[in-house]
Structure formats: structure tokens, C-alpha cells
Amino acid sequence: MENNHTCDLLIVGGGIAGLSAALEASKYGKVTLLTKGKIGETATEKAQGGIAAAIDQVSDSTEFHFEDTLAAGAGLCDEKAVRVLVTEGVGRVKELIALGAQFDKAETEAGGTRYALNLEGAHRRRRILHAGDETGAEIEKTLGRRVAAEGKVAIHQRMMGIDLLAENGRCLGAAALNQQTGETRIYSAKATLLATGGVCQAYLYTTNPPFATGDGVAMAYRAGAEVTDMEFVQFHPTSLVQLKGFEDLIALPQFLISEAVRGEGGVLLNEKGERFIHELAPRDVVTRAIVEEMEKSGSDHVYLSLRAIAPDKVKHRFPMIYQTCLERGLDITKDNIPVAPAAHYFMGGIMTDSDGKTNIGGLYAAGECASTGVHGANRLASNSLLEGLVFGHRAAVAAKYEIQNTKYEGITKFETTNSKPRLKDFEAQRFKLVIKSAMWNGTGIIRSQESLEDALNKLVKVEKQIDFAPVSADELELRNMLLVAKLIARSALGRQESRGAHYRTDYPRKDDANWQRHLVYKMTNGEFRMTN
Ligand code: SIN
């Protein structure tokens, strides 16, 4: 590989947002897409539940989807962006189907077939398309296959973004680490799209894959991009609590038990075997109810029972969940599943408009690393794949003008080395664990000034200990995690109310008069600055 590479649009990230953008942009420019892992190793690929869209226009409507999204977002959604999501989303999903995505179907009474739409928390209608319990994998495969068949996108695997290359308020590309050779590569581009996914690896317990370390958000922030809604982290109510004999799996992501299971009739039970919450209430409500039950009983879990679902249906509808639990000694057609909440999704991120544009010229963001305003303070279940699909596409359309009307600008400087020392072996892993634990305990499901300050102090202490030159992927991740973690803690301290996924015991109520607004941060002279 040559060490410098030039393209029209550089896309960092190969999940649904990156692939959706690549397919569109390759119609009019030279596109290069970087994947941190191997192609297909993304959070999209792990998504179980489904993709929400009002494709059944008889019982459902985009208006209902719009209203449900706003209600879940607890007063902080950007209505224009939500309108775009729910209306364009229907067409984008139909395109996905035309590209070959196979979503589950059911027979109609008239003997035909229709899409088998599921219900999930806070949706008033059945509108979740699914492919068993591996919907994300089906979508990733469909888009990936199409990109490969067209052969127009250069895909560079195992390339991790290090930093954006920005000069005079304009992004000129990015530097990336070739994880196979250890070399740094410079990518010059007329436009750059970050689609790097989420940040929930900053938490001890998370459903996110290991590479979700906030890389895109941190890169953008260091380059001067505005980030927003950093306090809003969604905790999924039901991740599998590791079973006896599998304690060594604790370092792996928590295995998700999809909300779709509750949508099909799964119920939550406390230690006494009693139901305690409406299972399809918004995620933040269900999560807090579970925490309350766990505190009452002193247990590290509650139970999810699938008794109300016929065993054949369980096996057919959730084959991957059934098999994974079976491998861990649990037959979910008979046994209750021990579950507890885990960090799952980041509503905040790089602030963009509805075209994926950031405050930096030539820099776009889409998918989980972006904050388009569609999720507000709490994302509606199964809206995330839809967001990646819609806004990845829109960013590519918006970048067209830039690609066709700007010239390549030579990158004048990028420091690949400095005089600071490297970390010793395993130190990056150790510091990551300190961050994850501080974040889980201090900026988790239930927060307070005391817990948030404690987390922030621990993060600052880590920062003081690691004045180092990040070179390896592990070290780069550590730097990114620490930065994003600090932004989350700062922002959560700033918001003196409870709203959506952000719950504080010292300010337990929503306070629209003072806080129906977004907190926006930007780095100025190396310091955090709130810009609003
Ligand atoms: C799930 O399957 O429960 C996760 C889907 C989502 O986060 O929207």
C-alpha cells in the first residue's frame, strides 16, 4: 500500500451508515471506505431487533412513527430531522428490500404474505421489520454485497482513524493506522464522512462490540467539531447476566436479549416471580424499574420469562438467542433468563444538520457517532438502523456538491511521532478498565452530582497518569475513550434535571423551563468549552 492516498469522499466506518453513503457517493465520485476491523465487523452486524419503518400504511402511518419518536425523545428531538427520518425511511427500507434484504414474512388470512412486523417499546403500532434475531447482519450483508458487486468503492480493512486532518476550519482527510503493518497512512479527500459507530465500550457493562470506543466523536472533537447531547446514553434493559462457569466472559460485551422478545410476549419477573413493569414502556423507564427491583432484592438481575411464547416460535423467531443461551446452559423455552441493563446506545455525538454536515467544512457524520437530533434524550427502539440508512445516504448526497466543486488541497502537516513515552505492555488495557468502571459507577443509569464528580475525578486522575504518545490501536482507543468519557461526565454534571435516559437523584424531575435545550461542546485552546 502506498502511504498517501487520494479520494473524493473518505468514509471512516463500514456499518449501515458508511455503506449506505458509499453506495450513493460512488455514483459520482471516487470513494474510499476504511473499516476498523475486517469488513462486516460492525455494530450493525450485531443488531438483533430490527429496523422501524411505517411500511404498513393501512394500520400505521409516518405521522404515528413521527409522534412516537418525539414522545420517546422527551422534548429534545429535532422535529425536522425526525420528519426526514420517518418519511425518507420508508423509501430507503424499500430500496434495501429491492437490493435483496430478506425480512421475515407472515401469511395473511387471504393466503398471501406480508411483512411480519413486530412491536417494540413505546411504538404504538407494529412497525419493526426483522430477519429472525439477526436483522443487522442481513442488512450489512445486503449492502456489503451490493458495494462489492458494483466494485466502485475502495475498501481498506483494519485501518483505524487516528486523527482528522483539518486546516483553517476545513477537513482535508484523515490519518489512519494500518493495524497490520503499524504504519500511518494519510488519506486526502475533498470530503470526509465519519460513520464510526458508538461509544458504549466506555462502560463496564455494554452490549456494544469491542471496537465501539468513540473514535469518530473523539477525532471530530479534537479537530474542532461541535459535539452535543453527550449526557444521553441509553441503557438496554435486558442483557444476559453471565451464568456460572462463564465468568471469564465478563470481559466480552454483554449478550443482548433483544427487546423483540418482549415484543413477542416475554415478561419481566422479579425475585418473587412477580411482574413489576409494563414490558413495552420506553427503555429508560423499563431500565430504571429493573434497577429498582435489583436494589430491593439485592440481586444482580431480574428474570425474563418466555413462557407465554410457544417453544417452536421461540426457536424459529429467535434462533441465535436460543442457541447462544443454550450454549451457556439455559433452555429459554423453559428457563427464565437472568437479565440486567447494560450500556447500549449513544444518543449524543458529533452535531450535524439533516444533511450530515458538521461545523467543519468538508466534514460529515452519520449513524451512531452523529447527533442529528432524531433521538432526543432517548432513542425509540429500532430507529438506529433507520437513522444510519437515511442519514448516511443524505450525507453522500450533500457531499456531491463539495466533491464536484472543490479541488484537492495538499495536506501540509501531520505529526506521526512525538517525544512522549509509550505505555508499558497491558497498561492501556488496565486504564481502559479504570475508565469503564468509573463510568459505570458514576455516569450510569442513576446519577447524582456526587457520583458524576467522582467519575470525573477518576477520569482526570487517569489522564494525569497517561501523558503518552498513542501509537497502537489499543492506545488510540484509550485516548478516545478517555476524551469521550470526560465529555459524557461533564455534560451529565451540567444538565441539572432528569430527562429521557439521563436520570439524576438530586434533580429527579424534567425541567422544561430551564433545560429543554441541548448542551453543545467544542474544544477551544485545548479546553472544553460549552458553546451555548
Ligand atoms: C434490540 O434488539 O433490543 C436492540 C434494538 C435497538 O437497540 O433498537
Side-chain angles (χ1 to χ4, degrees), residues 46-50 120 133 234 236-238 256-262 283 321 344-345 379-385:
K46 300 278 171 233
Q48 296 180 6
E120 286 184 358
D133 51 4
Q234 185 171 72
H236 196 288
T238 56
L256 180 72
I257 308 290
S258 175
E259 185 151 331
V261 171
R262 280 173 283 136
R283 259 183 207 174
I321 296 176
H344 179 64
Y345 186 84
R379 176 176 64 86
L380 187 66
S382 289
N383 264 358
S384 51
L385 289 174

Side-chain angles (χ1 to χ4, degrees), residues 327-343:
E327 282 161 15
R328 299 195 195 175
L330 208 64
D331 179 350
I332 62 171
T333 63
K334 300 189 195 110
D335 305 326
N336 289 341
I337 312 173
V339 290

Side-chain angles (χ1 to χ4, degrees), residues 142-194:
T142 303
L143 291 174
R145 212 168 31 205
R146 186 60 176 213
V147 166
E150 293 196 349
K152 292 201 238 160
V153 177
I155 296 178
H156 295 187
Q157 301 184 60
R158 307 217 54 221
M159 297 295 297
M160 176 181 178
I162 300 173
D163 264 314
L164 293 172
L165 304 165
E167 278 178 23
N168 306 323
R170 201 172 164 77
C171 182
L172 309 177
L177 172 72
N178 181 336
Q179 293 174 76
Q180 289 160 95
T181 64
E183 283 168 347
T184 298
R185 196 161 195 220
I186 303 298
Y187 289 86
S188 300
K190 292 179 181 174
T192 301
L193 170 67
L194 291 172

